[in-house]
Amino acid sequence: MSEGLDPSGAITRRLAEFCRFVRSCGLSVGVGAELDLGLAVALVDPMDRSTFRSACRATLAKSPEEVELHDRAFDAFWSGGPSKIPWTGTGTATTRPSPVRPGTRPKEADRPARPEPPTVSIPLGTWSASAPNVGHSLLAQPEKELHDLRDGARRLRRRVATLPGRRRARSHRGGVDVRDTLRRSLRYGGEFVELRRQHPSLRRGEFVVAWDVSGSMREHESRFFALVYALASVSRRARIFAFSTELTEITPEVRRHRYRRATVLTGARIALADGGTRIGGSLSELFDRASTLLRDRTTLILLSDGWDLGDPERVGRELERLARRCHAIVWVTPYTHAPGFEPRVAALQSALPHLDLLWGPEDFGPSSGRVRPGVVAPDPASVSGSTGRPRQDPTKARTAGKT
Amino acid sequence: MTDTETWKGPPQVQELLAAQSYIADASLATAIFLSARLGKPLLVEGEPGCGKTEIAKVLSAATGGELIRLQCFEGLDSRSALYDWDYPRQLLMIRMHERETATELLEKQVFSERFLQRGPLLRALGGDATHRPVLLIDEVDRADEEFEGLLLEVLSDFQITVPEIGTLRATRPPLVVITSNRTRTLSDALKRRCLYAYVDYPDAEKELTILRRRVPLLDAAFARQIVAFVQRLRAEPDLAKRPGVAETLDWAAALLTLRIEALDPAAVATTLGFLIKDADDLELLRARHAALLESPE
């Protein structure tokens, strides 16, 4: 804000305090946005609360979730001082969280200048005797294992990329690229020395990952998180969701940080999503929340052991719906390669007709450069639903798509 | 038509947009006002069919600036968005003058602005001083992440560097509207350069106002009935794609064309395809639409 409009600097100071408060509430506000706010306030009437609020929102928030968080922070800050953020989410117990935000060091949170941390109500989810509602402490896996998982994820991505895209790549076969041929001819004084050719390249597969973080998966969660991280790192548009009784998107925690940091942040984030499993309900929520993500190039990867407290038939119904939208569905269960494994869990049995691949985490490991076939659903040629697409034989998915 | 520099505040923007039959709430009007006055791009996210693209169109009409649209898609590259050289004409030029002109001079002539094919981004930087062009970068989430990197220089400095010519700067920054349907998360770098607005589905009152403005021949009671039905439809669980305002307007226009004057199950069943664009949703609603029609508002 210019000095002429705010000679004492009081408004500027208050705006800076507001930005600090908003940051402490979890909004990522950079210095650029703070400067924008100063300039914006000089252009609007700060005495008009509604306009002032809109100006703060336009400059500080960058997503609908941040808009909601900003609005609550705005009301809390500009209505008597930075004390509390009222949380209107569903849920039960009101608790005062640790002053340490996920990813910050305790020393940082204890600085005296920082406003008092907000009081929030944490939605606890449905209670389940089989899953204690305590936090997840994910352990970082060795670099070598992560590297192998990444290779496996890359192989899976290549395997599911079977659709021709709009991009064209140089090739020895395919149509003549007139523009490139002309450009190349400039090197030889306009003589057409060589014909340049191109053909449509395969579309990159996109991953949507749904990761079961319920109690029954507890002993595998560190390893599965490494797999989730590997899947996210090989697909540019991967979206990651954790579920137990409700669905939580953890894409920012997984994608924006290095592995060890992502492990800490994700462990803190999914602590809220613990407690039993409702696979069918979570898949339904995934369909509602991510319907725009589920497209003909999307591969849905479901990481779960199949233990479900909900209706197992619903799992089949929801997967049938998802199968109509997605390119492929891959279920990864920790026990696939255990001796004598058979998919006997009710939810898994209900899901089998709609799966393209049933894999174990071992299938992502080193396998002499070849994709292992995985366990095939009992009737791979079966048609899912009246309007559903025919399911491919998982072992032939790649070659069938190419032809 | 007004110059953005003379805009007094968000209420004036609301009036200007309303004159173009676009009903914007105070929050959106403030974001547009600040975007124009601060010279920062406006990133608009929201559900499909809620009027994100329309913002750029009405801004163009309200300010008199040329609307330059860059429709994003996967595989969009710098040649389509920034510039490309007119190779056939360059070739002709070389052939015509290769004997009498020195090579260096010929190269200079061939790589001059005369042979530059300007893409939408470069055209947007070349607007005149009186009317700021409106640059619409539509559905940026469809483009690859690399393309976002390409946008950064344009959006922060309003300049494009052509190695053969130099850096081309805008005399006056264009009004930039970037839309996204949130099919993927945009990079922080891009978001940092933009002001942000989220366009949600309108409430019943706002949707009724939009409908009356856009389809003025519609009877008031009938318009209320249409809006109430659409609002109930949006509240239905399990829909993969909820109808936006664009679908409401299309549906109302279709009903008007068919000379239907009140909603009944038969009329809804025959025209439901205007509202619902997903086969599963259609199947789901064919069984439910009569109940939806009868349920209280």
Side-chain angles (χ1 to χ4, degrees), chain B residues 104 123 182 191 204:
Chain B
E104 291 80 23
R123 276 198 291 136
R182 304 194 78 221
K191 287 204 249 182

Side-chain angles (χ1 to χ4, degrees), chain A residues 28 30 32-33 36 39-41 43-44 50-51 54-59 61-67 165-167 170 177 179-180 182-183 185-186 188-192 202-204 206 236-237 239 249 251 255-256 284 287-288 291-293 295 297 314 318 321 324-325 386-387, chain B residues 8-11 26-28 30-31 33-34 37-38 40 43 45 47-48 73-76 79 84-88 90-91 94-95 98 111 117 141-146 181-186 188 191-198 237-242 278 280-281 283-284:
Chain A
S28 162
D36 285 344
L39 293 169
V41 172
L43 288 171
V44 299
S50 160
T51 309
S54 300
C56 292
R57 188 191 292 155
T59 48
K62 305 291 179 192
S63 70
E65 296 78 24
E66 288 189 4
V67 166
R166 292 180 68 162
R167 268 178 192 275
R170 297 232 168 82
D177 183 352
R179 182 165 287 273
D180 201 27
L182 277 170
R183 192 190 299 122
S185 73
L186 290 176
Y188 308 107
E191 295 296 336
F192 297 105
L202 292 178
R203 274 177 173 187
R204 272 174 178 273
E206 291 172 13
R236 292 179 193 184
R237 297 183 177 207
R239 294 282 285 267
E249 178 158 13
T251 311
R255 293 211 54 170
R256 292 185 187 164
S284 170
F287 189 89
D288 290 343
S291 63
T292 50
L293 310 174
R295 295 181 287 176
R297 75 179 73 169
R314 191 174 178 196
E318 294 301 336
R321 255 189 345 147
R324 287 193 202 136
R325 293 195 147 244
S386 54
T387 57
Chain B
K8 298 275 188 300
S27 172
L28 179 60
T30 307
F33 169 74
L34 290 174
R37 292 297 301 273
L38 296 176
K40 297 207 80 164
L43 170 63
E45 288 191 328
E47 297 296 329
F73 54 86
E74 189 188 329
L76 177 64
R79 284 202 320 232
D84 199 1
W85 293 104
D86 191 345
Y87 294 111
Q90 282 179 319
L91 207 60
I94 292 170
R95 282 290 167 88
E98 62 189 346
F111 289 107
Q117 289 179 327
D141 51 329
R142 285 179 186 269
D144 305 305
E145 281 178 28
E146 295 89 336
N181 287 330
R182 304 194 78 221
T183 56
R184 69 175 172 88
T185 42
L186 302 178
D188 284 346
K191 287 204 249 182
R192 264 206 314 273
R193 282 161 174 80
C194 303
L195 299 186
Y196 182 81
Y198 185 77
D238 302 333
L239 284 192
K241 164 79 181 76
R242 290 178 168 76
D278 183 279
D280 289 349
D281 290 351
E283 200 179 325
L284 192 78

Side-chain angles (χ1 to χ4, degrees), chain B residues 9 51 67 70 93-94 106 134 146 173 189 206 233 262 281 297:
Chain B
L67 176 68
L70 174 62
M93 175 87 173
I94 292 170
L106 192 59
V134 179
E146 295 89 336
K206 186 179 169 189
L233 204 59
D281 290 351
E297 286 182 30

